[in-house]
Amino acid sequence: SYYDAFLLLLKYGAKVQDDRGRNMIVKWAAEYGRMDILNYLDEQGLSKNFQDKDYKEAIQWISHSQKLPKELKDNVTSYFNSKIKES
């Protein structure tokens, strides 16, 4: 499964940020509706350095995506909105 592959990648040294410091994992997980991965990042403290900008960019990213059904897109967007600290 994708989740197991994700865990293996982390186990063997994959980073959640790219070389330019971007948290692309947030956008990828959002685009594919992978709440299991987003929840894992939270549970393991891997999302503690994510900023409002990361969540806002992910919301923008998935607003253009045709990969998710509306209900799942709404759920992911609500999740990200709950993470945004500034008003």
Side-chain angles (χ1 to χ4, degrees), residues 14 16-17 19-20 24 28 35 37-38 42 49 55 60 63 66 68 77 80 86:
V16 295
Q17 285 188 334
D19 292 338
R20 293 176 25 197
M24 296 301 290
W28 175 85
M35 291 302 301
I37 290 174
L38 294 169
D42 279 347
N49 293 328
Y55 296 118
Q60 183 70 25
S63 72
Q66 300 297 315
L68 292 179
T77 300
F80 286 140
E86 70 179 40

Side-chain angles (χ1 to χ4, degrees), residues 3 6 17 19-20 25-26 30 38 40 44 49 55-60 64-66 70 78-79 81 83:
Y3 184 72
F6 166 73
Q17 285 188 334
D19 292 338
R20 293 176 25 197
I25 187 70
V26 176
L38 294 169
Y40 179 85
Q44 298 301 310
N49 293 328
Y55 296 118
K56 289 177 181 180
E57 287 177 359
I59 290 169
Q60 183 70 25
H64 301 290
S65 175
Q66 300 297 315
K70 182 178 178 348
S78 292
Y79 169 82
N81 280 323
K83 295 293 188 179

